[in-house]
Amino acid sequence: MKCKSAVSAVSLSFILMIIFAEYSRAETFKSAEFLTWKRESQEFYIRTSVGIAGLIAAQNDKRHADCLENWFWDDETKSTDHILDVMRKYPEYHPRGTILAVLEKRCGEFKYGR
């Protein structure tokens, strides 16, 4: 992700946490409920989650970060649609868990040795 995009994603993540605070903390929040949201809200949530994941990867493994950037940001609509399809298949899981699972399947685990 480009630096400017990364900064924007971090800024937006704070807004997201405020707007969707009750959802993001709730253990009972499931993808099934997330899928009832307006498409714009879904895209915002996914974009922000992927952006934060990309920032974490960029601080630890350039190859991992490049994979995330190339997969998601090169065709954001297609990538978002894929994530939403997985959520439809597994509606009982939290959306963030599903997003992370999709990213890890595509680009590898977020395990970094120090």
Side-chain angles (χ1 to χ4, degrees), residues 19 26 42 50 53 60 62 85 97 99:
I19 295 171
Q42 294 171 345
V50 173
N60 292 284
K62 181 178 177 358
D85 287 343
I99 293 166

Side-chain angles (χ1 to χ4, degrees), residues 98-114:
T98 303
I99 293 166
L100 180 62
V102 169
L103 296 178
E104 286 190 336
K105 184 168 184 173
R106 184 71 178 136
C107 294
E109 293 183 358
F110 286 83
K111 290 186 178 181
Y112 308 113
R114 293 259 174 201

Side-chain angles (χ1 to χ4, degrees), residues 32-77:
E33 183 176 349
F34 176 80
L35 292 167
T36 67
W37 291 7
K38 292 180 182 177
R39 174 71 185 214
E40 309 84 59
S41 297
Q42 294 171 345
E43 289 172 351
F44 182 77
Y45 186 99
I46 291 169
R47 185 180 308 118
T48 302
S49 297
V50 173
I52 291 170
L55 288 173
I56 293 167
Q59 295 297 312
N60 292 284
D61 184 340
K62 181 178 177 358
R63 189 173 42 86
H64 195 207
D66 289 346
C67 178
L68 294 170
E69 178 177 344
N70 292 334
W71 178 71
F72 187 79
W73 301 106
D74 283 353
D75 191 343
E76 186 178 344
T77 300

Side-chain angles (χ1 to χ4, degrees), residues 75-90:
D75 191 343
E76 186 178 344
T77 300
K78 182 179 176 183
S79 303
T80 297
D81 288 343
H82 175 70
I83 290 169
L84 292 171
D85 287 343
V86 174
M87 287 183 185
R88 286 182 197 95
K89 188 174 180 181
Y90 300 100

